[in-house]
Amino acid sequence: MEAKILRVMKCGECFAVKSEKSEGGVLNKRTLVLQELGGKFEPTYTVAALGNLATLQFNEGDIVIATLRFQSREFNGQSFMDVVATEIIKH
């Protein structure tokens, strides 16, 4: 994993989801759309922020430094890709 400098394009609402892995059985989640700097056609990522990261509020246009984890999984013969932010720092 490497840290990237990204621009916040969209910030979804923070909501709670059931999670067997969290202590209280509930985990905060927020979806962010982050884009690499450079131009309007740079790579864009739809990212899940979980736990304490999900409670942070971001505005469109904010510059952040983020470490992203890419993972894929298979379910019922289909492949799915998840992008999860492991760290986000507002710049």
Side-chain angles (χ1 to χ4, degrees):
M1 288 186 282
E2 67 180 62
K4 294 182 174 279
I5 300 172
L6 304 159
R7 176 178 288 113
V8 177
M9 303 303 288
K10 292 184 183 176
C11 180
E13 294 295 320
C14 181
F15 58 95
V17 294
K18 285 185 178 182
S19 172
E20 295 176 8
K21 295 180 181 180
S22 68
E23 229 174 81
V26 177
L27 183 68
N28 290 323
K29 182 176 182 179
R30 180 187 301 269
T31 302
L32 300 165
V33 178
L34 303 175
Q35 184 180 43
E36 290 184 17
L37 300 180
K40 66 181 184 177
F41 298 111
E42 296 301 320
T44 303
Y45 310 99
T46 301
V47 176
L50 304 172
N52 291 336
L53 286 180
T55 61
L56 300 174
Q57 180 62 43
F58 299 96
N59 298 309
E60 289 183 19
D62 283 353
I63 302 298
V64 298
I65 300 169
T67 304
L68 306 178
R69 182 180 71 222
F70 297 85
Q71 59 190 39
S72 62
R73 56 188 165 83
E74 188 176 321
F75 181 74
N76 287 339
Q78 294 183 337
S79 294
F80 297 91
M81 171 72 88
D82 293 324
V83 183
V84 178
T86 57
E87 185 177 13
I88 301 177
I89 300 168
K90 286 186 182 184
H91 190 272

